[in-house]
Amino acid sequence: MPLAPGTVRDSIVEFLSAIGKDASIDEILTAVSSQLGHTPPSSIRSYLTLNTPKIFERTGRGRYKLNGNGHKSAIEICRSKPGSDHRTVGKGIIYHADSFAWMANQPENSIEAIVTDPPYGLIEFNDTETAKLRAGKGGVWRIPPSFDGHQRAPLPRFTVLNDSDRKNLHRFFLRFGVQLTRILVPGANVLVASNPLLSHIVAGALTEGGLELRGYISRQVMTMRGGDRPKNAHEEFDGVSVMPRSQWEPWVMLRKLPEGRIQDNLRKYRTGGFRRVSAERPFGDLILSHPTPSAERKLAPHPSLKPQAFMRQLTRAVLPLGKGKILDPFMGAGSTIAAANAVDYESVGVEIDRKYFDIACEAIPLLGDLHTKTPD
Ligand SMILES: C[S@@+](CC[C@H](N)C(=O)[O-])C[C@H]1O[C@@H](n2cnc3c(N)ncnc32)[C@H](O)[C@@H]1O
């Protein structure tokens, strides 16, 4: 089917906006072809020449970047994408939308904190992989063997990511960082769920996007990743694990730079620190946790659902004065929004998948009302 007029141009604009710098024609061609399918190099060249200097600037031989008008069109392209339905659930508002389009429509300095668990690998929640997961057909999803009578939740296989996936991941988080830096108030905390294989890419790209890295929060939890013996040589090397059985989940911790002294930032924006657990006890960066209980997974059937006991500790801590709005731009079934309701904070969630959005509408009030126990 022929592409609608302007599709190739918009794809070039989106790519250059995502990387935030100039790129060669070859790099642009690879990015556009991975989004739209095979695109002839001549077509890329003619779009670039036709729109220079209107939206592109030539920075060297065969290299281009966006100029001021180009950045404006990147935001316009994002705004024109569908972003529709929204609901109120307790003190939270949730949107069925693409969060990049949603964020492009938000005013500057309008959000006080981010707590989110983004799509890693970037492919595990695309239409094809979601369909495979729902059909129980695997794909990037690994269904761990059930043992001791318990059915295990599917896990995405991040070890299958190749160089190009990792570059896309970097591009995705750079774009995310640039958008966040615009909509967050100074001093706002950003907590991003990650895993030990990819957290360095996430931290690097978000920092390039304008945020400041402040460290990591370690969720101590036994995951199903690692611990396996060498494939097809289990018996020969029965004393070897290819990688350790993972027992923690890193959450990348960043912030938008505060304005001046922390006390001034706290007064002006209500951000610039973490809320203490009690007057005697500061919030700590090691949190004992457990896998998401099956009762919660039944209420909110999402493959990456985070447990309420843990999410409530995080959400409570990210607003130092308990005031402001927490955004989860990759809401899934709504564990962040439910946790924010449980600690009586305002929140906003955005989810692109209609089915998960519908699950979140029903699950958030139920998860938010659950009594949970925190491991000692
Ligand atoms: C790792 S899951 C989050 C699960 C969540 N922590 C929970 O407890 O339910 C990531 C979610 O982001 C959604 N997603 C992916 N790309 C998105 C986008 N551009 N805008 C909004 N949501 C997106 C996926 O559909 C998926 O539900």
Side-chain angles (χ1 to χ4, degrees):
M1 210 170 60
L3 295 171
T7 308
V8 174
R9 185 203 52 215
D10 288 355
S11 172
I12 301 174
V13 170
E14 282 188 275
F15 168 66
L16 290 175
S17 158
I19 61 168
K21 54 181 186 180
D22 69 342
S24 68
I25 292 184
D26 272 355
E27 289 164 330
I28 298 172
L29 177 66
T30 311
V32 171
S33 299
S34 75
Q35 195 190 12
L36 304 178
H38 173 71
T39 312
S42 55
S43 149
I44 302 282
R45 264 192 213 101
S46 60
Y47 273 106
L48 286 166
T49 0
L50 268 176
N51 293 287
T52 303
K54 219 164 63 196
I55 52 178
F56 301 122
E57 182 187 324
R58 193 168 166 272
T59 55
R61 206 161 156 239
R63 297 190 71 83
Y64 291 84
K65 69 173 192 178
L66 291 184
N67 64 20
N69 287 333
H71 285 295
K72 277 192 210 132
S73 18
I75 291 191
E76 286 310 315
I77 293 166
C78 232
R79 283 186 177 155
S80 66
K81 289 192 170 165
S84 44
D85 215 1
H86 69 277
R87 306 270 178 88
T88 303
V89 270
K91 285 186 127 180
I93 304 184
I94 60 171
Y95 292 82
H96 172 225
D98 176 341
S99 58
F100 286 96
W102 187 90
M103 288 188 283
N105 278 306
Q106 299 312 302
E108 281 178 28
N109 296 347
S110 55
I111 300 283
E112 281 76 15
I114 303 291
V115 176
T116 196
D117 170 23
Y120 276 93
L122 306 181
I123 50 170
E124 75 272 25
F125 288 107
N126 70 19
D127 292 347
T128 319
E129 294 295 334
T130 306
K132 283 186 189 162
L133 169 67
R134 286 180 182 149
K137 287 255 172 63
V140 76
W141 290 95
R142 180 170 80 92
I143 319 288
S146 62
F147 54 85
D148 51 337
H150 294 286
Q151 191 68 36
R152 304 284 156 180
L155 293 167
R157 283 187 282 211
F158 297 118
T159 41
V160 301
L161 299 187
N162 59 30
D163 249 8
S164 136
D165 295 331
R166 275 187 286 271
K167 277 193 188 125
N168 284 337
L169 195 67
H170 180 273
R171 202 177 292 149
F172 176 90
F173 280 101
L174 176 58
R175 184 179 178 210
F176 185 37
V178 170
Q179 293 253 31
L180 287 187
T181 306
R182 192 183 70 79
I183 63 173
L184 288 174
V185 302
N189 286 315
V190 176
L191 298 182
V192 182
S194 188
N195 70 63
L197 293 169
L198 303 172
S199 54
H200 62 296
I201 302 179
V202 178
L206 289 175
T207 309
E208 273 177 56
L211 298 170
E212 182 196 18
L213 182 63
R214 301 284 287 168
Y216 297 85
I217 288 172
S218 167
R219 172 182 168 215
Q220 197 175 348
V221 60
M222 180 75 97
T223 72
M224 286 301 292
R225 200 169 51 74
D228 299 336
R229 296 186 181 85
K231 207 170 170 185
N232 301 328
H234 292 65
E235 284 170 13
E236 188 180 353
F237 299 109
D238 64 353
V240 176
S241 291
V242 179
M243 63 194 296
R245 163 59 52 82
S246 182
Q247 295 178 63
W248 68 295
E249 175 182 84
W251 282 64
V252 186
M253 181 169 53
L254 308 105
R255 70 175 177 185
K256 176 161 162 179
L257 277 178
E259 249 176 43
R261 297 180 307 175
I262 290 299
Q263 55 174 291
D264 299 329
N265 203 95
L266 277 164
R267 283 185 200 108
K268 185 164 175 191
Y269 296 107
R270 305 173 295 182
T271 53
F274 285 87
R275 191 167 176 186
R276 298 175 73 92
V277 176
S278 65
E280 297 72 39
R281 195 169 143 213
F283 175 64
D285 63 7
L286 172 66
I287 301 181
L288 299 186
S289 183
H290 45 57
T292 308
S294 60
E296 293 179 30
R297 285 196 275 116
K298 269 188 205 131
L299 294 177
H302 187 294
S304 315
L305 187 73
K306 298 288 178 195
Q308 281 300 292
F310 172 73
M311 295 306 289
R312 289 178 191 178
Q313 295 179 63
L314 281 194
T315 49
R316 184 183 180 282
V318 283
L319 294 179
L321 306 180
K323 303 255 160 44
K325 246 191 316 258
I326 301 178
L327 167 66
D328 183 348
F330 305 106
M331 170 183 75
S335 57
T336 306
I337 311 304
N341 277 343
V343 299
D344 205 24
Y345 285 0
E346 286 175 53
S347 64
V348 186
V350 187
E351 171 57 46
I352 201 167
D353 183 280
R354 180 80 225 184
K355 200 164 168 227
Y356 293 143
F357 174 81
D358 289 342
I359 290 176
C361 291
E362 298 209 353
I364 290 170
L366 303 172
L367 289 174
D369 282 348
L370 281 180
H371 291 286
T372 61
K373 231 179 93 206
T374 310
D376 303 317

